[in-house]
Amino acid sequence: MDFDYIQGALQPAEGKLAPYFFYHVKKTGGITVFSSAYCGLDAWKLFLRTNNISCPDVFCGRLDDNKYQSNQEIRFAAPAMFIASHLPFGVHARVRQAFRLMTLLRDPWGRAKSQYSYLKMRATESPSLDEFAAFTAKEENCNVMTKQLAGLQPDQPARDADLQQALRNLTDHFFAFGTIQDLIFLTSHILQTNGLPNVISDRINPTRSIYKIECEETDAFRDRNALDIQLYDWVRATPRLPDPLDCQPHSWNVIVQEVGGDAISEQKPRVFSGNISRYLKGTKVSKDILDALN
């Protein structure tokens, strides 16, 4: 099994730290993005302390609780380098700092199957085709991506005007957006921009095969998710990706692995120093080689 190699940088690529706000649509690979930023930031702070370098007071966190949907200003004890949120578009504007907005999308059918299967795994329950059909028929599970990026609640029906609002929000406010095929590139950009260590990541938050469901996409699903299909097709055709950064990889590496069981799991990071470029094959590195290095 190979791990993903997400390259960081020895120094902030732009000479200063850049905060990101990630609108995390469920089951689009966002946990990998968040874990890379979170574990990379912790390793970076350790790197600075080890080298007797002053460490800026910044943090990485999440805004998922519905309490953050009030109109009150959101305050943190320290500036954020990276924030992720499942909440509707707009919550970032209540934080007293500027962010680069980012998001990733996934084909609606694959995303829906993944979300249902993941929930069954966490409940340690067997999946069923009838239950999946009922799951996809619920309003809260229809046009999920359009609703989040348009600023709607999950139980609110989405209309054509909401799709246009989601597209305007992406065009007018987002620093970067793409599909899950762009995950490694965009995550690397976050690490490099902020001078964080390289991340070597196992597949984070995977669903075991016994909980997955296989069935053909239905006309009913396409009708219910027509807006999401249009949104995904538009982003896939016209992604907004930053220019690649030419910077030296960090001298430290963080291996992020998933530990735990079906009902609950967590990420377990390990830090080591050294140049592993000779072991790389593109953006992949062999697990066997990493075990030998550690």
Side-chain angles (χ1 to χ4, degrees):
M1 179 186 67
D2 292 338
F3 283 12
D4 290 316
Y5 174 72
I6 308 171
Q7 183 177 305
L10 195 56
Q11 297 292 334
E14 299 175 2
K16 60 181 180 179
L17 304 183
Y20 290 81
F21 194 104
F22 181 68
Y23 275 99
H24 179 187
V25 180
K26 292 180 179 179
K27 307 313 295 181
T28 59
I31 292 297
T32 296
V33 183
F34 176 76
S35 297
S36 297
Y38 187 90
C39 296
L41 179 58
D42 276 355
W44 176 67
K45 290 180 178 179
L46 177 61
F47 172 82
L48 294 180
R49 291 195 298 269
T50 301
N51 290 276
N52 296 314
I53 301 172
S54 177
C55 182
D57 188 15
V58 295
F59 81 104
C60 170
R62 296 195 63 93
L63 292 177
D64 292 327
D65 195 303
N66 285 330
K67 69 180 181 182
Y68 294 116
Q69 297 193 73
S70 70
N71 290 324
Q72 293 184 344
E73 186 177 79
I74 300 172
R75 295 174 178 266
F76 299 127
M81 181 183 287
F82 184 88
I83 296 292
S85 179
H86 288 310
L87 297 179
F89 176 84
V91 66
H92 72 279
R94 294 200 294 280
V95 182
R96 294 193 64 183
Q97 70 174 86
F99 291 100
R100 292 178 172 181
L101 305 188
M102 183 180 289
T103 195
L104 290 169
L105 302 186
R106 182 177 180 179
D107 73 280
W109 179 244
R111 197 210 64 80
K113 289 196 299 179
S114 181
Q115 184 176 5
Y116 170 76
S117 299
Y118 176 77
L119 292 173
K120 299 312 292 181
M121 181 182 74
R122 290 310 190 201
T124 62
E125 298 174 352
S126 298
S128 80
L129 291 173
D130 288 343
E131 187 182 48
F132 176 61
F135 174 86
T136 58
K138 291 182 178 179
E139 180 58 55
E140 65 195 58
N141 298 321
C142 296
N143 291 311
V144 170
M145 299 185 294
T146 299
K147 290 176 182 178
Q148 184 170 358
L149 295 178
L152 297 182
Q153 298 299 322
D155 59 354
Q156 292 181 276
R159 311 298 183 193
D160 287 341
D162 299 309
L163 171 61
Q164 298 308 312
Q165 184 63 58
L167 294 174
R168 282 195 299 273
N169 288 341
L170 287 172
T171 301
D172 295 345
H173 301 290
F174 276 71
F175 170 77
F177 50 81
T179 69
I180 56 175
Q181 283 71 35
D182 304 306
L183 186 152
I184 301 300
F185 176 78
L186 289 179
T187 307
S188 180
H189 196 277
I190 295 169
L191 301 182
Q192 291 175 352
T193 304
N194 289 294
L196 302 187
N198 316 308
V199 171
I200 300 162
S201 180
D202 194 2
R203 185 181 175 192
I204 302 300
N205 233 17
T207 301
R208 289 181 59 203
S209 58
I210 62 172
Y211 299 102
K212 293 181 179 179
I213 194 164
E214 294 300 331
C215 51
E216 295 296 323
E217 185 176 4
T218 64
D219 290 339
F221 179 87
R222 284 189 286 269
D223 289 343
R224 294 190 189 103
N225 294 276
L227 303 181
D228 263 12
I229 292 171
Q230 294 178 67
L231 177 63
Y232 174 75
D233 287 345
W234 183 84
V235 168
R236 183 175 57 176
T238 58
R240 177 176 291 173
L241 305 177
D243 293 333
L245 297 171
D246 183 14
C247 48
Q248 180 182 355
H250 205 283
S251 58
W252 279 27
N253 308 279
V254 188
I255 302 176
V256 183
Q257 293 179 276
E258 190 89 6
V259 296
D262 294 349
I264 188 170
S265 64
E266 61 182 356
Q267 288 77 54
K268 181 180 179 182
R270 292 183 290 152
V271 179
F272 70 96
S273 62
N275 184 353
I276 65 166
S277 60
R278 59 180 172 171
Y279 302 116
L280 297 178
K281 294 182 179 179
T283 59
K284 296 290 185 178
V285 60
S286 168
K287 180 181 183 298
D288 293 337
I289 292 174
L290 290 179
D291 289 342
L293 287 171
N294 284 277

